[in-house]
Structures are given as structure tokens and as C-alpha cells.
Amino acid sequence: MDVSIEDILTAGSLSAAPKLLGCFLVRDFPEGRIILKIVETEAYHQTDPASHSFRGPTKRTAPMFMAAGTIYVYFTYGMHYCMNIVTGKEGEGEGVLLRAAEPFEGIDIIRRNRGIEDIYQLASGPGKLTMALGITDNSLSGQKLGPQTIQLLPPDKPVAKKDIIAGPRVGITQAKDIPWRFHIKNSPFVSNQRKTKLN
DNA sequence: TGAGTGATTGACT
DNA sequence: GTCAATCACTCAT
């Protein structure tokens, strides 16, 4: 079964988020190539009040309304960047937040980007993930995935459905039956969830 | 024009 | 387990 990245992304965020698990993020540095395997994602949709796109496009969120495959980087909490991949059709304001990844190749370079050694801490959170990828500003926001930026490659073998955990977020009133958050079962690389209210 | 907010992290108790 | 740091962006005056 051959599923292209394009097929995954154009299907919409709720469909794309679980399918992006196991995909690889590739970025080339002068020192070499780094590869990270996505282990945790979160879907965002214009109908989600928590989504940046909820109130329509602004100067900051404009990339989220661009074509599928566009990178949307935003700055938050005064110190952290988060990376989204735009999904769905142009103008829909859908995206998938990359929350955590497993270092796969170029670990030395990732360690240098992060400034720490612990492999389980290299990309186990949205802010850490961007840092591991060498994202230190929002210059990638609005650009397309690709060799000049960051490449997204399909999984070597698709993640089995039984190994994907879907967790609905709490605290939202709309579409609360839809699970927005996905991660790979038993992966030690998923983000630290101490702060999430998963009662 | 200014106050409030937040899809987090890491340091400290 | 608790809390401060820090700033772009939004919304309300």
C-alpha cells in the first residue's frame, strides 16, 4: 500500500494527524542530515476554538490557510516555537501540530541543537521538537515542505492501528467527541503529559 | 495604545 | 509538585 504524503495531507487534519505518526522529518545541515520519526501529533481545525485559525486568518496565522504541505511556525509563551503542517484545502485553516518525535538519524547534530544529551528529552514536546530541528525563528512559516526546508517522508512501515492512541482533549465545548490528539502506543518519546488535564 | 493571553519548558522546593 | 520566565499577537478601549 503506497500512500503519498500529499494524499495524507490533503485529506484534512483529523484524518492526517494519526497518519503522520511514524512519518519522518528530514532536514539537512552543513554537518549532515537529521531524521526524526513523528510519534505524537494534534489536529487543529477551524471549528476548534483552541485553534489559531478559529477566528480566521491574521498576519500570524495566514500560513495555516495556505495549501496542504505548508509549514506554519508560531512563537508562544515568549520563548518557544511550535511547528504545524497545514492540511486540507487552501483557505480551510486546518493543520496538524507536531508535538513529539523520536531521534532517528544525525543524533549528534540534534544533541547539539538541543544542548542536552538525554535522547528521550531531545524532541519530547512541541518546543523541543522545533529546537531539535534547528528552528529558532519563524522564517519557515509559510514555506512549503521540501528539500530547501524540511522534508516529510512516509513511514517505512505504517503504524498499526492498534498502536495508535487517540485522546480527546478536554475543556472544549465544540466537537468534543472527536479525538484530536494522537500518539504511538508505548513510545518513550512522546511528550511529557503532566500538565494535560486527562482526568 | 495598552492590557491580557497562551497549543511550554525547566528550575526550584 | 509548583511556579516564573517571556513576547507576539489579539482584543478592548
Side-chain angles (χ1 to χ4, degrees), chain A residues 159-176:
Chain A
V159 178
K161 252 187 178 171
K162 65 176 172 61
D163 290 329
I164 296 178
I165 308 290
R169 295 184 323 202
V170 297
I172 59 175
T173 54
Q174 300 186 33
K176 58 185 173 188

Side-chain angles (χ1 to χ4, degrees), chain A residues 27 71-73 135 137-143 148-150:
Chain A
R27 190 173 197 196
I71 300 169
Y72 168 46
V73 177
I135 296 173
D137 55 44
N138 60 4
S139 61
L140 284 178
S141 196
Q143 299 202 50
Q148 302 303 316
T149 54
I150 293 170

Side-chain angles (χ1 to χ4, degrees), chain A residues 105-176:
Chain A
E105 198 180 302
I107 293 174
D108 287 343
I109 300 172
I110 297 171
R111 284 202 170 110
R112 189 208 57 192
N113 288 343
R114 292 280 290 114
I116 60 169
E117 292 292 317
D118 186 355
I119 193 168
Y120 297 111
Q121 299 291 324
L122 288 178
S124 58
K128 301 178 192 175
L129 174 62
T130 52
M131 212 183 296
L133 280 168
I135 296 173
T136 55
D137 55 44
N138 60 4
S139 61
L140 284 178
S141 196
Q143 299 202 50
K144 299 276 285 185
L145 290 166
Q148 302 303 316
T149 54
I150 293 170
Q151 293 185 73
L152 186 63
L153 303 178
D156 44 1
K157 57 179 180 195
V159 178
K161 252 187 178 171
K162 65 176 172 61
D163 290 329
I164 296 178
I165 308 290
R169 295 184 323 202
V170 297
I172 59 175
T173 54
Q174 300 186 33
K176 58 185 173 188

Side-chain angles (χ1 to χ4, degrees), chain A residues 13-14 43-50 54 167-182:
Chain A
S13 60
L14 289 176
Y44 282 88
H45 191 275
Q46 197 172 359
T47 59
D48 174 8
F54 181 59
R169 295 184 323 202
V170 297
I172 59 175
T173 54
Q174 300 186 33
K176 58 185 173 188
D177 294 334
I178 304 174
W180 300 87
R181 190 171 185 166
F182 304 88

